[in-house]
């Protein structure tokens, strides 16, 4: 794009104050807005400079305008576009300086924004780029500058992708999470279901017709982002990598914000973890996390492996929990690390009533597929009303987590307190050492596996309870005489101190066997 192209745009309504034809035909490489008296160190060759002339006042002599324009000339600026809004007109001294140093000068009326000029240059620049043999080109400097400005203005992924890919035509592109969630997409990209997106990310390694670029950030398998292109044929690889770098900058800024959120969540969990917490402090901690102080809550605890609590494991579990809940419309949540290292989420499920168990099971399976070698577990508490019940909910969630890890047999699993509807499920949440101690103390000598006679008595007890304490069916199952069964059960009662005619004693022995 050339300076005279800007003059031809009626929407900008620019006025040429000075500029010879050869100078107006020079290529524009980018745009910089400045009101510094000496902006030379911030300019690059071929840029046009936008200035509101805040640096100048009517009392200044010509030396000041001469110094400003000389800086533009030494930096290789293509032209100066000066705004009329500050002073009502362009100073004559500035016109003289531009003529003396050979820098074209255009007047910008008050009704024309600098943003409109910037967008006109970039859109034209992108259009020119799309007509070149683009596989040899990366994003030009002016495009990177525009994307950097959008980042500083807080633009989201969708807007960044739209601007970054505009010069490549209607090319579909997505910014996806490891769990298949779409963070942003270009206007030509159709909506992508979560499961389909997760599958496509896994398949790109085997499908050369698609590309997924990992966004560089401090992330693990559960919170990695990917730039995904279903049809990358028209996208130059260098351009894609530069766009991925832009997304990485967005991710870094977002992660800094998330770090502050995590600190607030950690402070909340320190209060929740205490059986007695100051209600005012708890309300303030909830507010700091963006959670209402009234309504219903659930607590979710997550862990990697066999409920490990190493720092790396806890951070990975927190990332998985954050990603899973980001898919769920259950309500606002805060994820942090409780003292001791486990990842915990406090989820607000509504003011008028519980909205149900968070639907994270499917996402949990998708996340596990990103790192199948490591089991991924979660425990969900029952619904509790008001902040006062959060400590109890945390205990429930930890118990459900332990049950999940115990019964999952190496696979990933989500277990809610609602799922603990059997004795097996209930016992699964008890720590292994506690289960072992209970079993040993209840069974007494029968717990000694090295004694052959005791092993026979234990097998008879298991069969007797399994057949609802029926002497006949137990004898048939073990191929014994009924009298033999009677004798062995009497020995069991004598050694354990339990009477199998009593229901509570039966339950004790039944639970002890399940805890072995």
């Amino acid at each position: 794009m050339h300076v005279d192209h800007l003059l031809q745009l009626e929407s900008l309504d620019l006025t040429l104050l000075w500029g010879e034809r050869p100078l107006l035909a020079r290529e524009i490489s980018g745009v910089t807005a400045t009101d510094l008296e000496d902006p030379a160190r911030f300019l690059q060759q071929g840029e046009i400079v936008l200035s509101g002339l805040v640096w100048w006042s009517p009392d200044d002599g010509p030396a000041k305008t001469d110094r400003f324009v000389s800086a533009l000339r030494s930096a290789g600026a293509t032209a100066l576009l000066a705004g009329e809004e500050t002073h009502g007109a362009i100073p004559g001294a500035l016109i003289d300086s531009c003529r003396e140093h050979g820098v074209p000068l255009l007047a910008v009326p008050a009704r024309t924004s600098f943003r409109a000029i910037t967008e006109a240059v970039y859109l034209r620049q992108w259009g020119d780029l799309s007509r070149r043999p683009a596989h040899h080109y990366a994003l030009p400097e002016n495009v990177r500058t525009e994307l950097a400005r959008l980042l500083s203005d807080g633009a989201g992924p969708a807007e960044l992708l739209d601007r970054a890919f505009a010069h490549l035509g209607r090319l579909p592109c997505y910014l996806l999470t490891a769990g298949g969630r779409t963070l942003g997409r270009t206007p030509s990209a159709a909506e992508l279901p979560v499961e389909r997106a997760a599958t496509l990310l896994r398949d790109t390694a085997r499908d050369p017709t698609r590309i997924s670029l990992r966004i560089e950030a401090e992330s693990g398998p559960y919170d990695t982002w990917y730039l995904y292109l279903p049809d990358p044929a028209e996208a130059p690889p260098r351009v894609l990598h530069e766009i991925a770098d832009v997304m990485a900058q967005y991710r870094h800024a977002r992660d800094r914000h998330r770090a502050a959120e995590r600190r607030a969540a950690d402070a909340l969990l320190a209060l929740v973890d205490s059986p007695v917490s100051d209600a005012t402090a708890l309300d303030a901690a909830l507010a700091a996390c963006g959670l209402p102080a009234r309504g219903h809550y659930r607590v979710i605890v997550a862990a990697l492996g066999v409920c490990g609590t190493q720092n790396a494991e806890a951070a990975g579990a927190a990332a998985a929990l954050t990603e899973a809940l980001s898919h769920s419309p259950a309500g606002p949540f805060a994820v942090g690390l409780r003292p001791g290292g486990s990842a915990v989420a406090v989820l607000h499920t509504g003011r008028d009533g519980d909205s149900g168990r968070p639907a994270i099971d499917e996402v949990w399976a998708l996340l596990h597929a990103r790192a199948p070698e490591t089991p991924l577990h979660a425990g969900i508490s029952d619904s509790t009303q008001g902040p006062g019940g959060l400590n109890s909910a945390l205990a429930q969630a930890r118990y459900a987590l332990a049950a999940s890890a115990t019964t999952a047999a190496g696979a990933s699993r989500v277990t809610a307190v609602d799922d603990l509807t059997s004795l097996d499920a209930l016992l699964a949440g008890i720590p292994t050492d506690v289960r072992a101690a209970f079993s040993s103390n209840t069974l007494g000598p029968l717990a000694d596996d090295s004694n052959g006679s005791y092993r026979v008595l234990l097998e008879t007890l298991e069969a007797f309870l399994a057949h609802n304490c029926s002497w006949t069916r137990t004898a048939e199952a073990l191929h014994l005489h009924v009298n033999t069964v009677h004798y062995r059960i009497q020995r069991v009662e004598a050694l354990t101190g339990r009477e199998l005619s009593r229901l509570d004693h039966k339950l004790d022995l039944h639970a002890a066997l399940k805890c072995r």
Side-chain angles (χ1 to χ4, degrees), residues 338-406:
R338 62 178 289 272
S342 57
V344 182
V346 176
L347 172 66
H348 186 267
T349 57
R351 290 183 176 274
D352 301 325
D354 184 20
S355 62
R357 168 180 170 172
I360 66 173
D361 299 72
E362 292 184 3
V363 179
W364 213 245
L366 295 176
L367 292 173
H368 172 64
R370 304 300 303 183
E373 68 282 357
T374 305
L376 182 60
H377 304 294
I380 305 177
S381 76
D382 198 357
S383 176
T384 183
Q385 185 173 3
L390 287 173
N391 179 258
S392 175
L394 174 59
Q396 292 178 13
R398 292 176 62 193
Y399 194 91
L401 172 66
S404 174
T406 302

Side-chain angles (χ1 to χ4, degrees), residues 71-350:
L72 303 190
R73 172 66 183 272
S74 64
T78 301
L80 169 63
L81 278 68
E84 296 179 336
E85 183 173 10
T86 303
H87 303 290
I90 306 303
L94 182 62
I95 299 175
D96 294 340
S97 294
C98 286
R99 182 182 295 109
E100 180 179 349
H101 291 283
V103 177
L105 175 62
L106 285 68
V108 182
R111 60 183 172 276
T112 300
S113 69
F114 283 178
R115 180 184 178 89
I117 298 172
T118 301
E119 289 183 345
V121 171
Y122 290 162
L123 288 173
R124 178 61 180 267
Q125 183 70 39
W126 290 339
D128 290 345
L129 184 63
S130 68
R131 289 187 287 273
R132 299 175 184 176
H135 58 283
H136 294 304
Y137 294 88
L139 287 173
E141 180 64 28
N142 61 307
V143 176
R144 291 196 294 271
T145 301
E146 168 67 0
L147 291 173
R149 184 186 62 77
L150 289 174
L151 284 169
S152 65
D153 290 344
E159 184 176 0
L160 291 170
L161 288 177
D162 183 18
R163 295 301 182 89
F165 280 94
H167 67 286
L168 295 173
R170 295 181 56 80
L171 183 65
C173 180
Y174 302 83
L175 183 64
L176 301 175
T177 67
R181 186 163 50 96
T182 299
L183 297 171
R185 53 191 170 102
T186 56
S188 59
E191 186 174 348
L192 199 57
V194 169
E195 290 188 3
R196 175 63 176 161
T199 301
L200 290 173
L201 285 178
R202 291 197 301 270
D203 291 346
T204 50
R206 300 187 298 270
D207 187 349
T209 66
R210 299 186 177 97
I211 287 180
S212 65
L213 294 179
R214 184 181 184 275
I215 303 302
E216 293 299 324
E218 294 183 3
S219 59
Y222 309 117
D223 59 345
T224 303
W225 291 1
Y226 298 90
L227 196 67
Y228 172 72
L229 288 91
D231 182 12
E234 299 299 324
R238 287 182 58 198
V239 169
L240 295 183
H241 283 282
E242 288 200 39
I243 295 174
D245 287 341
V246 171
M247 294 301 139
Q249 295 176 51
Y250 171 82
R251 170 72 187 262
H252 293 322
R254 173 187 171 278
D255 284 351
R256 288 194 295 270
H257 179 68
R258 283 291 177 90
E261 293 179 342
R262 182 63 54 81
R263 289 191 293 270
D266 291 348
L268 170 63
L269 293 177
L271 293 172
V272 170
D273 199 42
S274 174
V276 180
S277 296
D278 179 78
T280 302
L282 191 55
D283 287 351
L286 286 167
C289 294
L291 299 175
R294 298 294 178 269
H296 290 72
Y297 305 86
R298 285 185 187 256
V299 174
I300 308 174
V301 183
L304 302 183
V306 187
C307 296
T309 57
Q310 299 297 318
N311 289 339
E313 293 174 339
L321 196 49
T322 301
E323 174 63 18
L325 288 174
S326 296
H327 288 253
S328 172
F333 63 90
V335 176
L337 301 179
R338 62 178 289 272
S342 57
V344 182
V346 176
L347 172 66
H348 186 267
T349 57

